[in-house]
Amino acid sequence: MGQDMAILDILHFPDTRLRNVAKPVAQVDGSVRQLIDDMFETMYAAPGIGLAAVQVNDLRRVIVVDTSEDRSQALALVNPEIIAKQGDESMDEGCLSVPGVYETVQRAAQIRVRALDREGNAIEKDIDGLLAVCIQHEIDHLDGKLFVDYLSNLKRQRIRKKLEKDARQGGDKTQRRRAI
Ligand code: ZN
């Protein structure tokens, strides 16, 4: 971790900037590592278990995740791609960009991910469980997609109204459960 980490502002639904599609990182340089460090700082402070660069209004394809209880499993993925997936998993998801909302989403149970790590090395990993759900959720963010997009229009409208009301009232952004 760098010594000059910063907590970044997280965009909230329905901010249209969350619909931006991130661009591949050409080279994992110091500025990308700084972004990764700042994203970890921001994610842990929220607190959350995953964060995508789009959520902090940076359009590089970078995600950070850590689903451990003791923050010991920090994983940064640059240009992450799901190259294989298998099975179904339904889990309650939350999102740091949709505070206070938790809904069940169906995703693949197991995934194989290809990415660059913080040092720019190519990696491939087989992942399942909560971490697999989390990574699918974060890669969606890089494509401008939110977990509420998997819900019905009616449900999404209700969530939008709730968050707009919360924002008008000064917003309670406290995460009571772990969000990604
Ligand atoms: Zn999210």
Side-chain angles (χ1 to χ4, degrees):
M1 296 275 182
Q3 51 187 359
D4 299 312
M5 291 188 288
I7 292 181
L8 309 168
D9 286 333
I10 297 175
L11 303 177
H12 291 124
F13 177 76
D15 194 314
T16 54
R17 290 172 292 178
L18 288 166
R19 299 307 186 180
N20 287 329
V21 176
K23 296 175 188 67
V25 170
Q27 194 188 351
V28 183
D29 56 14
S31 103
V32 173
R33 280 189 282 276
Q34 180 72 55
L35 172 65
I36 288 169
D37 293 348
D38 289 346
M39 285 173 62
F40 272 120
E41 182 89 340
T42 304
M43 178 188 83
Y44 286 133
I49 58 174
L51 186 69
V54 168
Q55 290 178 275
V56 292
N57 200 29
D58 188 299
L59 294 185
R60 286 176 278 185
R61 296 189 79 82
V62 174
I63 68 173
V64 298
V65 293
D66 187 349
T67 55
S68 69
E69 295 289 343
D70 59 356
R71 304 181 171 189
S72 62
Q73 305 285 318
L75 178 65
L77 300 175
V78 177
N79 300 340
E81 279 179 274
I82 294 169
I83 55 174
K85 53 183 167 182
Q86 197 182 330
D88 295 314
E89 175 93 79
S90 285
M91 251 187 226
D92 252 18
E93 292 186 26
C95 178
L96 294 175
S97 294
V98 193
V101 176
Y102 298 87
E103 297 285 349
T104 306
V105 175
Q106 189 174 317
R107 300 198 186 263
Q110 289 120 30
I111 57 172
R112 184 164 184 83
V113 176
R114 178 184 291 157
L116 301 175
D117 68 12
R118 192 177 177 283
E119 315 312 319
N121 301 312
I123 53 171
E124 268 189 34
K125 276 178 183 285
D126 289 311
I127 296 169
D128 61 11
L130 176 60
L131 185 57
V133 168
C134 186
I135 288 172
Q136 290 172 81
H137 176 119
E138 300 312 332
I139 291 176
D140 273 356
H141 275 303
L142 299 181
D143 293 322
K145 192 165 184 182
L146 298 168
F147 86 103
V148 295
D149 299 346
Y150 294 96
L151 310 176
S152 68
N153 273 325
L154 180 63
K155 227 172 205 175
R156 194 162 48 252
Q157 287 311 315
R158 278 193 196 134
I159 292 167
R160 173 192 284 259
K161 280 185 184 136
K162 176 192 182 309
L163 291 195
E164 285 172 344
K165 187 172 163 227
D166 287 352
R168 277 196 305 277
Q169 293 173 345
D172 175 9
K173 303 294 190 284
T174 313
Q175 293 294 332
R176 285 173 199 82
R177 292 159 63 186
R178 296 188 304 171
I180 48 187

